[in-house]
Amino acid sequence: MDKILEAVVTSSYPASVKQGLVRRVLEAARQPLEREQCLALLALGTRLYVSGADELPRRVGCQLLHVAGRHHPEVFAEFFSARRVLRLLQGGAGPPSARALACVQLCLQLLPEGPGADEVFALLRREVLRTVCERPGPAVCAQVARLLARHPRCAPDGPHRLLFCQQLVRCLGRFRCPAEGEEGAVEFLEQAQQVSGLLAQLWRAQPAAILPCLKELFAVISCTEEEPPSSALASVVQHLPLELMDGVVRNLSNDDSVTDSQMLTAISRMIDWVSWPLGKNIDKWIIALLKGLAAVKKFSILIEVSLAKIEKVFSKLLYPIVRGAALSVLKYMLLTFQHSHEAFHLLLPHIPPMVASLVKEDSNSGTSCLEQLAELVHCMVFRFPGFPDLYEPVMEAIKDLHVPSEDRIKQLLGQDAWTSQKSELAGFYPRLMAKSDTGKIGLINLGNTCYVNSILQALFMASDFRHCVLRLTENNSQPLMTKLQWLFAFLEHSQRPAISPENFLSASWTPWFSPGTQQDCSEYLKYLLDRLHEEEKTGTRICQKLKQSSLPSPPEEPPVPSATSVEKMFGGKIVTRICCLRCLNVSSREEAFTDLSLAFPPPERCRRHHHHHHHHRRRRLGSVLLPAEDAGAQEPGSAGPPRQRKHCITGGVPPTILDMEGLGPHGLGGQSGQEEKVERGESTEEAAAAGEEQGEEEKAEAEEKVKEKEEKVEEEKVEEKVEEEKEKEAQEEKEAAAGPGPGTLQSAAAPSGDGSRSVLDLVNYFLSPERLTSENRYHCESCASLQDAEKVVELSQGPRYLILTLLRFSFDLRTMRRRKILDDVSVPLLLRLPLAGGRGQAYDLCSVVVHSGLSSESGHYYCYAREGAARPAPAPGAAGRPEPDNQWYLFNDTRVSFSSFESVSNVTSFFPKDTAYVLFYRQRPEEGSEAEPGSPRPRAEPTLHKDLMEAISKDNILFLQEQEKEARSRAAYISALPASPHWRRGFDDDKDEDKGPPGGCSPAGGSGGDFHRLVF
């Protein structure tokens, strides 16, 4: 019967005839047969199934085995013995064929239980291990996987199971797609999935095998001597439990036995796995490993792999099946590569065609990818401005897509930078601390230079001034402004947590300051602005002369000098009018100013002011906030957050002062140059002492008389203006009914008799009329003699940035000692500054420089600030309301942390020695001016010139290399350090300093940290 069947199968009859004859033979085989005949049929069936040339003999062989197994089980068990299986699997050289393994799998389904079956399974446990150790191809491996999935008893057990799993990983690494075309690729994918599925099945049964398999996987992909392993290894990753990710990455990134070359090779090959279409979580593992490398400062690997692979990852966005993983990896790679524009610029030629392809695809996946890609591009253009020619085609390609807000861009850029990654070593080594979570950069204290650092941070946060400085062109004639430009550019774009201002400090050094000693920040600010102003003025004049000399004939009229940057940003104008009380002749003089120095009114003045004049003056100046009696009229929900009550000075107590022993150099707190002309003084002695407040008790009676006369004059003026102010008061009361906005300081509106002061009180005092009598009499030209007169100061033009200095430091001529006024002065978010002609201008608070200490020669300066950009024009009915509080920062030398207006308001309440000293206010634009309604593009930082961009990129790379080198040198010793909790205290908390004073003045700053003292 077997001979007949074999002859029929190998004959040349038509297929239909062959099938009819085979059916008759199989029907006969179902009947009882002799043992020899049955064994012959089984041998034929096995031979046809394993070696058949085409589909027909294989199908006949399969049918024969099925018939014999079901109808002749005893003979089948005898035939399919362990010896037969061994002969079948070892019939040829090398590993067994896939057909032989398939035959074994088929026969196992038909084999009856018994001692013979046990022998077969024991044999197969050895043979499948031997098979995978011989590195078979994808088809054989996949057949082994199917065999073990169907018959788990064939899987090696005991210690052999781990070896088997590791060898399966090795086999996957050698897979190569054998056929071209879609069919071959699909078959290859299925084979890899079957093998990785077997691994997952074995891991579920024995979880302890996972980590050794991962080590084997890393060994395969990190090997630099063999040919690159197959991307089929990506199929393994989808079966790895995600909860193992952190531990695996941490161990791997800290393993000293892994060389940089191995790590670079491994991560490069893992990134290639993004193209594996069926892999889940591949992007998560790639990103986790990149983060791990950043955390241990292995930046050279990250830079090299990013530049080598970012274009390949980007190209995978074309394919929907791998788009999600590719986009995740691309976003992480781009958003972390912030030290240089190189990686982003590699993609610029590819972005427009990619956008066009995704638009043409018109799918949900493509649309989502387009939106995220556009967001990425906007982030990168914001981060690396200055390449308009390169960016123009890219921006044109994405012009119709959504533009993210600036806050969103800053959030994305801040969360993923390599220098923002938390390091396991940071708690022990502050040198390895990352850049502040705020994204802002600190300034290193070079030895009692906190007064410079605070002023520089306040100027930097004045956005319009910063942009003006950063726009400065090359080859200008302003060396100091150029140094400030470089400092601001590094504060904006550096990856360092803090930079050194040494170059700028030496260039802007105030000649009369002593190096290494604490100085007055206000005096430094005035000197700095004056230097910048004079330098620009001189440079412009020289340029104009050179231009004129090159012309054939000189112009008839000299050109009008344009305003300097300092004048545009900080320059205002003040008018002083003096009225002779005899002939009533008025002389006036207009002067420029860059800051106003506000003296503290004497206690008697303050008390009388509260009782008699506050109502009229508040209306005249345009109130900062509501009067006290209206404070209860807030709308529900408009109340500011709860604030701890301030410790106020009672009305009858003079300003809190502290007499200091000894006598130091004078000049702190006074005004120089043009400021002296507008400073308010009460006596000749004060004029000699740079306009400091009256402190002599013997003048009290005379002053009382002067005040009474002032009150009469003031009341007469007010009565003349009653009619024109009625409408204004009605409007203000309407606005007041809406209640104060968030952060409103009630005490700033109408100080009661408890002696509390606000900035408005000091402005009132500065602008109040002054009687010139006795020794201060005025020489009237009309009368040609000295006469009693009244001096009135008015602001004719408000600056864009209003700088107010509270004169806290004075030299007391009576006691011959220095003193500091420690009074708490409430600082409003919104200040309504009165201008001449009854006009008013709204100003938003943007920076507060605080002095901590008891004397101008000691203590510490730090700065609260927020972005001092143009605020939107106030909505109708809301002009008197402070703008909602946006993000505040605390700049304390090298340390920068998030803060709030609450902290600004309460700093003196919590720390009596810490008092507001210099205030920066930003003019709020009028309706329709400066605003850019509907502008979709975020406000980017100005373009930097090429040399500056290159210097920043080089320094960022240098910093990454320094961090990497230091991390490597210290990582070896980390295990020997005690893991006591107190080691971490002070390094991980980046919160505002509400629980303690912001720190003392020292070269390390108030942060307790230690940073690289490198000058860019």
Side-chain angles (χ1 to χ4, degrees):
M1 191 184 293
D2 58 302
K3 301 291 185 186
I4 297 171
L5 185 58
E6 187 173 8
V8 169
V9 171
T10 57
S11 69
S12 58
Y13 293 134
S16 56
V17 175
K18 288 183 182 181
Q19 289 170 357
L21 294 172
V22 167
R23 198 161 34 245
R24 291 182 182 179
V25 173
L26 291 175
E27 285 174 2
R30 290 188 177 93
Q31 306 303 319
L33 295 173
E34 294 181 2
R35 172 176 170 277
E36 293 301 326
Q37 182 66 53
C38 191
L39 288 173
L41 284 175
L42 281 168
L44 175 62
T46 303
R47 192 164 61 252
L48 290 175
Y49 187 80
V50 173
S51 307
D54 53 30
E55 186 61 31
L56 179 64
R58 292 174 187 168
R59 189 167 65 247
V60 171
C62 180
Q63 291 170 340
L64 261 179
L65 291 172
H66 267 285
V67 168
R70 289 177 181 170
H71 297 277
H72 312 283
E74 296 85 1
V75 180
F76 186 88
E78 180 187 346
F79 173 82
F80 195 67
S81 63
R83 181 174 295 181
R84 174 75 63 176
V85 171
L86 188 60
R87 194 181 308 137
L88 194 60
L89 295 179
Q90 295 184 357
S97 67
R99 299 299 303 172
L101 286 166
C103 182
V104 170
Q105 180 182 339
L106 174 63
C107 292
L108 284 177
Q109 296 174 25
L110 304 169
L111 185 65
E113 287 293 336
D118 294 338
E119 283 184 25
V120 170
F121 282 119
L123 171 71
L124 285 174
R125 283 194 283 273
R126 293 192 301 274
E127 284 301 304
V128 293
L129 178 58
R130 182 187 63 81
T131 299
V132 296
C133 286
E134 291 178 353
R135 307 281 187 275
V140 174
C141 275
Q143 187 55 59
V144 169
R146 288 193 290 271
L147 172 64
L148 269 62
R150 190 71 182 264
H151 304 286
R153 287 171 65 187
C154 296
D157 52 9
H160 293 142
R161 174 165 292 194
L162 175 58
L163 177 61
F164 179 71
C165 291
Q166 292 174 319
Q167 292 304 317
L168 277 179
V169 171
R170 291 271 176 186
C171 287
L172 276 170
R174 288 175 169 268
F175 275 21
R176 294 290 179 270
C177 189
E180 296 293 332
E182 187 176 337
E183 285 186 12
V186 170
E187 184 183 17
F188 176 71
L189 288 173
E190 288 177 352
Q191 290 166 346
Q193 289 295 104
Q194 287 169 353
V195 175
S196 62
L198 172 61
L199 269 173
Q201 178 184 330
L202 296 173
W203 286 344
R204 283 193 293 273
Q206 189 176 337
I210 297 178
L211 287 178
C213 288
L214 275 179
K215 287 184 179 178
E216 194 72 20
L217 174 64
F218 184 80
V220 171
I221 63 173
S222 64
C223 182
T224 57
E225 296 172 0
E226 300 178 9
E227 62 176 323
S230 169
S231 57
L233 283 169
S235 61
V236 176
V237 176
Q238 63 184 315
H239 300 297
L240 294 172
L242 289 178
E243 53 268 22
L244 292 179
M245 185 187 292
D246 289 342
V248 169
V249 169
R250 185 165 55 249
N251 291 336
L252 197 55
S253 55
N254 286 289
D255 189 347
D256 292 335
S257 65
V258 178
T259 65
D260 284 0
S261 176
Q262 289 175 316
M263 184 62 79
L264 177 62
T265 305
I267 190 67
S268 299
R269 288 169 176 173
M270 279 187 71
I271 290 173
D272 289 340
W273 294 352
V274 167
S275 58
W276 185 257
L278 302 176
K280 296 177 183 176
N281 301 328
I282 290 175
D283 53 330
K284 293 185 176 67
W285 280 90
I286 294 171
I287 291 171
L289 191 51
L290 292 172
K291 282 184 175 180
L293 292 174
V296 295
K297 315 295 180 188
K298 294 187 177 178
F299 299 121
S300 56
I301 298 174
L302 291 166
I303 291 171
E304 190 168 345
V305 78
S306 298
L307 295 177
K309 293 296 180 182
I310 197 162
E311 289 176 279
K312 184 168 185 178
V313 173
F314 183 82
S315 69
K316 301 305 174 188
L317 298 182
L318 277 174
Y319 309 106
I321 195 168
V322 297
R323 183 175 290 153
L327 186 58
S328 297
V329 175
L330 177 72
K331 283 176 71 174
Y332 183 80
M333 291 174 80
L334 266 185
L335 291 172
T336 54
F337 202 95
Q338 290 189 34
H339 65 282
S340 165
H341 53 72
E342 199 174 353
F344 176 52
H345 284 192
L346 287 175
L347 300 181
L348 292 179
H350 310 299
I351 292 175
M354 178 65 73
V355 170
S357 297
L358 292 172
V359 169
K360 187 177 179 182
E361 183 182 306
D362 194 24
S363 65
N364 290 337
S365 167
T367 304
S368 173
C369 182
L370 266 178
E371 291 173 355
Q372 295 180 68
L373 182 59
E375 186 175 66
L376 262 182
V377 170
H378 282 294
C379 286
M380 293 296 102
V381 171
F382 181 91
R383 180 67 185 84
F384 303 114
F387 303 93
D389 296 341
L390 288 176
Y391 294 162
E392 186 177 348
V394 174
M395 300 309 288
E396 178 66 24
I398 63 170
K399 65 181 180 181
D400 297 327
L401 299 169
H402 173 69
V403 179
S405 67
E406 185 175 339
D407 288 341
R408 169 68 176 163
I409 287 175
K410 288 183 175 179
Q411 176 198 351
L412 288 171
L413 290 173
Q415 69 190 12
D416 280 330
W418 288 333
T419 46
S420 298
Q421 303 302 323
K422 296 300 181 187
S423 170
E424 292 297 313
L425 307 179
F428 297 96
Y429 293 110
R431 280 178 176 274
L432 299 179
M433 283 180 68
K435 187 174 174 180
S436 165
D437 291 341
T438 63
K440 305 294 181 185
I441 295 173
L443 288 169
I444 294 169
N445 191 315
L446 301 171
N448 285 320
T449 58
C450 56
Y451 68 95
V452 175
N453 293 348
S454 299
I455 290 299
L456 290 178
Q457 293 285 19
L459 290 173
F460 176 78
M461 293 297 283
S463 308
D464 298 336
F465 178 64
R466 177 175 77 243
H467 293 166
C468 181
V469 172
L470 292 176
R471 287 192 192 101
L472 192 67
T473 56
E474 287 186 275
N475 304 320
N476 59 76
S477 53
Q478 303 175 58
L480 185 59
M481 186 71 92
T482 300
K483 287 187 184 296
L484 185 62
Q485 181 191 40
W486 279 63
L487 180 68
F488 279 4
F490 272 77
L491 283 175
E492 183 68 32
H493 297 288
S494 178
Q495 292 292 296
R496 295 181 184 273
I499 60 175
S500 168
E502 184 176 346
N503 282 347
F504 182 77
L505 178 61
S506 60
S508 64
W509 184 257
T510 312
W512 55 90
F513 283 0
S514 301
T517 60
Q518 188 63 277
Q519 304 294 340
D520 186 346
C521 73
S522 172
E523 193 174 359
Y524 173 74
L525 173 61
K526 289 171 187 171
Y527 175 78
L528 174 60
L529 294 181
D530 191 50
R531 276 274 308 274
L532 293 171
H533 167 70
E534 291 298 330
E535 182 183 85
E536 185 174 352
K537 203 162 63 170
T538 304
T540 305
R541 196 161 54 239
I542 292 171
C543 288
Q544 286 175 348
K545 283 186 178 178
L546 290 173
K547 254 186 210 173
Q548 288 173 15
S549 65
S550 65
L551 294 174
S553 59
E556 296 179 4
E557 294 182 4
V560 179
S562 59
T564 65
S565 302
V566 171
E567 287 176 317
K568 290 174 186 173
M569 295 295 152
F570 304 103
K573 291 185 179 176
I574 198 164
V575 177
T576 305
R577 293 187 177 86
I578 302 179
C579 176
C580 174
L581 294 180
R582 181 182 175 195
C583 67
L584 300 181
N585 180 56
V586 177
S587 66
S588 63
R589 179 179 60 186
E590 187 176 64
E591 297 166 303
F593 70 91
T594 52
D595 79 313
L596 297 179
S597 296
L598 305 180
F600 283 71
E604 300 82 4
R605 166 89 183 202
C606 194
R607 200 162 51 244
R608 289 176 52 74
H609 170 75
H610 291 162
H611 288 309
H612 295 286
H613 294 302
H614 182 74
H615 174 74
H616 297 308
R617 287 218 179 99
R618 182 179 67 78
R619 292 301 180 194
R620 175 180 165 228
L621 288 175
S623 163
V624 182
L625 296 169
L626 292 176
E629 61 269 15
D630 294 340
Q634 300 181 36
E635 287 183 351
S638 67
R643 183 179 293 111
Q644 186 161 334
R645 186 175 177 80
K646 292 177 178 289
H647 308 302
C648 296
I649 310 298
T650 56
V653 179
T656 310
I657 59 174
L658 186 85
D659 293 339
M660 300 301 293
E661 293 292 326
L663 183 63
H666 185 50
L668 300 169
Q671 288 176 304
S672 59
Q674 58 193 10
E675 285 80 13
E676 288 182 7
K677 300 172 185 173
V678 300
E679 174 61 66
R680 300 277 311 156
E682 271 71 45
S683 66
T684 315
E685 290 85 357
E686 288 172 358
E692 292 156 352
E693 68 270 10
Q694 174 75 18
E696 300 175 15
E697 295 176 358
E698 57 266 29
K699 298 282 183 182
E701 292 183 11
E703 193 177 64
E704 285 290 318
K705 293 178 182 177
V706 173
K707 303 296 185 294
E708 290 174 6
K709 291 180 183 178
E710 282 180 13
E711 290 168 18
K712 291 178 182 176
V713 174
E714 184 76 14
E715 286 169 4
E716 289 169 6
K717 288 184 179 180
V718 170
E719 286 170 3
E720 291 171 3
K721 293 185 178 180
V722 163
E723 291 300 321
E724 69 181 63
E725 286 205 355
K726 277 184 180 178
E727 290 182 19
K728 186 176 173 184
E729 288 188 13
Q731 179 64 27
E732 286 186 13
E733 285 169 7
K734 278 183 186 177
E735 293 168 8
T744 295
L745 294 177
Q746 185 174 317
S747 60
S752 55
D754 63 357
S756 60
R757 286 191 176 91
S758 73
V759 170
L760 180 60
D761 294 330
L762 273 60
V763 174
N764 273 328
Y765 181 52
F766 179 84
L767 296 175
S768 61
E770 177 191 3
R771 285 296 180 92
L772 305 177
T773 60
S774 61
E775 294 177 357
N776 288 333
R777 284 190 299 169
Y778 165 69
H779 185 273
C780 176
E781 293 182 1
S782 298
C783 301
S785 61
L786 293 172
Q787 297 293 337
D788 288 355
E790 183 181 68
K791 183 166 123 181
V792 177
V793 175
E794 286 186 311
L795 298 172
S796 57
Q797 178 185 320
R800 183 179 297 192
Y801 285 98
L802 174 67
I803 302 175
L804 302 176
T805 301
L806 311 187
L807 291 177
R808 293 187 175 276
F809 303 124
S810 65
F811 182 71
D812 192 337
L813 291 173
R814 183 168 55 85
T815 60
M816 300 301 289
R817 291 176 180 173
R818 290 190 179 277
R819 64 182 185 178
K820 177 183 175 182
I821 299 173
L822 293 172
D823 289 14
D824 190 3
V825 176
S826 57
V827 180
L829 266 175
L830 176 68
L831 178 69
R832 299 283 297 179
L833 190 72
L835 301 179
R839 296 174 295 133
Q841 176 65 56
Y843 281 85
D844 291 296
L845 181 68
C846 56
S847 296
V848 178
V849 177
V850 176
H851 177 263
S852 173
L854 301 173
S855 163
S856 59
E857 292 93 7
S858 64
H860 179 56
Y861 288 98
Y862 54 94
C863 174
Y864 289 99
R866 60 175 173 170
E867 283 290 340
R871 306 285 194 267
R881 225 175 290 161
E883 184 198 350
D885 192 3
N886 60 343
Q887 185 58 61
W888 283 85
Y889 304 94
L890 172 58
F891 296 91
N892 189 2
D893 286 339
T894 52
R895 176 167 182 160
V896 187
S897 54
F898 290 112
S899 190
S900 66
F901 184 63
E902 298 300 311
S903 297
V904 181
S905 306
N906 289 324
V907 65
T908 308
S909 303
F910 291 120
F911 313 111
K913 292 186 296 183
D914 294 27
T915 52
Y917 182 39
V918 179
L919 314 176
F920 284 68
Y921 278 90
R922 206 283 180 195
Q923 187 181 103
R924 185 177 285 191
E926 300 295 336
E927 189 79 44
S929 69
E930 285 194 61
E932 299 180 19
S935 174
R937 300 203 175 277
R939 179 184 54 78
E941 291 297 313
T943 298
L944 303 179
H945 58 76
K946 185 179 177 183
D947 287 350
L948 189 46
M949 283 295 291
E950 286 182 358
I952 293 170
S953 292
K954 284 179 182 176
D955 183 69
N956 284 339
I957 292 172
L958 177 64
F959 171 65
L960 296 178
Q961 290 169 348
E962 290 164 2
Q963 292 282 282
E964 180 173 7
K965 184 178 178 182
E966 190 147 14
R968 288 173 186 276
S969 64
R970 293 180 181 268
Y973 305 103
I974 192 68
S975 58
L977 293 175
S980 174
H982 70 266
W983 275 71
R984 292 186 178 271
R985 201 161 57 219
F987 300 135
D988 293 339
D989 298 335
D990 245 352
K991 303 220 166 53
D992 191 14
E993 298 281 342
D994 280 342
K995 297 180 182 176
C1001 188
S1002 68
S1007 68
D1010 186 16
F1011 295 91
H1012 296 281
R1013 307 197 175 285
L1014 295 174
V1015 184
F1016 52 81

